[in-house]
């Protein structure tokens, strides 16, 4: 029975792709790519660096709407799932590329749930999450011993979450970056950040006073106690 | 200049090792292995599955004391760092194998800090954290949209942390597993757990009523809202 694989390709560096993801890219009949254009897909660029053979494979572009409207979103996921299911019915294994790890804020998971509940085989292949790569690049741990780690989507309310003890990771911080920076300055937080970690456009900011006023989409902020 | 690499080998499945970790295992002169015996080291078994060549390399066994006594710990890390520094001075690159990701509750980081502050080159190579692999195996996401993710070392106080909104991951739950299970039952938590994820002895428990009374060392509990 054909299967849908949600392939985590890691945070940016093609060498941080796992052996399993590379094997499945080679074995699957179809590579499904998020976006409208493979050349503009970050996940595809990462995957291509790890497994150039995918350039010659059958490709499926998976576009999902960027909105908070639930009906539009649901319809978008359903349409994507239908296209994938049509390929599965032809007996083709499909590998859908996903940035980072597919279990952490991925769009893949909504398509996965539909395909799975429609009775098809699905499997999630773990990838390195971006916040691990950010911490590695900063040269120290995220958490030790009894410290807690809190991953916070910063496009929502964050002030209360910054009071949590342990290490905080702010994801999706770009859209409200001005407000986020203001709050961090007010609290005199021990913050660092990386834009586009592991990619050619990578920029590292070791402390709050180095922070820019605007941040790009792939920005991760770490806040230590 | 020779370098110490902290190599994350991922959670258990040798195929979840990254391309970068495999390359560095091949390139480094010495493979440093946590524990007293390579055959009993989980990190070594994982690495060996991904890169059998390491069996023929120079090996260094790195033992660190299992205690909460800070002086004994510090002395243990210093002794391990000294052995590594001696190899670096000979011009040998050293890859220290670490389960999961080196930035999340690893012992590696204490040795890394000493070697780094002594002026040697160090680099952390990210690995897939165990909680991502657990979520993949359970077949759904850890967090979506505005949900927060809280990683909690369960060998310390956990009751208050279980009140946090979002998804909770309990790590190191084995030593206090009886108490942990009791609290989860009391709260009627939507919990699942995996012992030895990705290893031959893997066991999956999809809900709290399947939970055993004792748990092995490599146990991860997930709690969803």
């Amino acid at each position: 029975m054909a299967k849908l694989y949600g392939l985590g390709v890691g945070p940016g560096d093609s060498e941080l792709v796992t052996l399993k993801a590379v094997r499945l890219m080679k074995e699957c009949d179809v590579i499904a790519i998020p976006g409208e254009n493979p050349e503009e897909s970050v996940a595809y660029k990462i995957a291509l660096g790890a497994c150039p053979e995918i350039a010659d494979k059958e490709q499926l572009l998976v576009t999902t709407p960027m909105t908070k409207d639930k009906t539009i979103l649901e319809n978008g996921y359903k349409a994507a799932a239908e296209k994938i299911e049509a390929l599965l019915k032809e007996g083709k294994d499909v590998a859908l590329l996903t940035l980072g790890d597919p279990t952490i804020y991925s769009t893949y998971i909504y398509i996965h749930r539909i395909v799975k509940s429609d009775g098809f085989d699905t499997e999630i292949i773990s990838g390195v999450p971006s916040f691990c790569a950010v911490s590695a690049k900063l040269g120290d741990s995220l958490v030790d011993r009894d410290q807690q780690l809190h991953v916070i989507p910063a496009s929502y309310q964050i002030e209360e979450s910054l009071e949590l003890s342990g290490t905080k990771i702010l994801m999706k911080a770009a859209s409200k970056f001005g407000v986020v920076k203001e709050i961090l300055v007010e609290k005199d937080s021990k913050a660092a950040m990386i834009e586009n970690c592991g990619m050619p456009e990578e920029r590292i900011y070791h402390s709050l006073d180095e922070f820019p006023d605007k941040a790009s989409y792939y920005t991760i902020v770490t806040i230590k106690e």
Side-chain angles (χ1 to χ4, degrees), chain A residues 30-65:
Chain A
V30 182
I31 305 296
I33 303 162
E36 292 179 358
N37 185 346
E39 268 95 78
E40 286 168 16
S41 162
V42 177
Y44 183 69
K45 281 185 210 165
I46 296 168
L48 196 64
C51 182
E53 295 96 310
I54 59 170
D56 305 319
K57 293 233 167 190
E58 182 176 346
Q59 299 185 345
L60 172 73
L61 290 170
V62 176
T63 53
T64 48

Side-chain angles (χ1 to χ4, degrees), chain A residues 157-175:
Chain A
Q157 277 299 102
I158 64 155
E159 277 197 83
E160 207 180 310
S161 312
L162 291 177
E163 301 296 337
L164 294 168
S165 73
T167 300
K168 275 81 69 180
I169 307 283
L170 303 184
M171 296 186 69
K172 314 181 196 178
S175 65

Side-chain angles (χ1 to χ4, degrees), chain A residues 150-204:
Chain A
H150 308 283
V151 183
I152 300 155
S155 49
Y156 301 85
Q157 277 299 102
I158 64 155
E159 277 197 83
E160 207 180 310
S161 312
L162 291 177
E163 301 296 337
L164 294 168
S165 73
T167 300
K168 275 81 69 180
I169 307 283
L170 303 184
M171 296 186 69
K172 314 181 196 178
S175 65
K176 290 193 176 178
F177 192 72
V179 183
V180 167
K181 188 180 166 184
E182 212 170 276
I183 296 171
L184 295 176
V185 169
E186 219 166 80
K187 287 185 186 290
D188 196 22
S189 300
K190 203 176 154 194
M193 78 176 238
I194 303 190
E195 289 182 285
N196 304 305
C197 185
M199 302 178 202
E201 315 79 14
E202 175 179 281
R203 285 210 61 184
I204 304 177

Side-chain angles (χ1 to χ4, degrees), chain A residues 13-175:
Chain A
D13 178 348
S14 291
E15 272 206 292
L16 288 182
V17 175
T18 66
L19 300 179
K20 196 169 211 163
V22 172
R23 175 175 63 78
L24 287 167
M25 283 190 251
K26 286 181 185 170
E27 290 179 3
C28 281
D29 304 285
V30 182
I31 305 296
I33 303 162
E36 292 179 358
N37 185 346
E39 268 95 78
E40 286 168 16
S41 162
V42 177
Y44 183 69
K45 281 185 210 165
I46 296 168
L48 196 64
C51 182
E53 295 96 310
I54 59 170
D56 305 319
K57 293 233 167 190
E58 182 176 346
Q59 299 185 345
L60 172 73
L61 290 170
V62 176
T63 53
T64 48
M66 290 293 265
T67 170
K68 285 189 177 179
D69 181 304
K70 282 202 174 172
T71 315
I72 299 174
L73 279 173
E74 275 309 313
N75 289 336
Y77 301 146
K78 268 184 206 159
E82 265 172 35
K83 284 184 194 168
I84 290 165
E85 291 181 7
L87 293 163
L88 296 173
K89 281 177 196 160
E90 291 175 31
K92 291 175 175 171
D93 287 322
V94 178
L96 205 167
L97 308 178
T98 301
L99 202 61
D101 177 75
T103 72
I104 299 176
Y105 308 117
S106 81
T107 300
Y108 164 75
I109 210 72
Y110 308 111
I111 298 168
H112 168 98
R113 285 181 191 140
I114 298 170
V115 174
K116 191 177 173 184
S117 80
D118 285 343
F120 294 92
D121 268 0
T122 54
E123 188 174 341
I124 297 169
I125 308 299
S126 304
V128 172
S130 50
F131 52 81
C132 291
V134 163
S135 183
K137 193 72 73 161
L138 293 171
D140 209 327
S141 68
L142 280 173
V143 274
D144 306 333
R145 306 193 198 283
D146 62 341
Q147 291 174 338
Q148 299 189 354
L149 176 66
H150 308 283
V151 183
I152 300 155
S155 49
Y156 301 85
Q157 277 299 102
I158 64 155
E159 277 197 83
E160 207 180 310
S161 312
L162 291 177
E163 301 296 337
L164 294 168
S165 73
T167 300
K168 275 81 69 180
I169 307 283
L170 303 184
M171 296 186 69
K172 314 181 196 178
S175 65

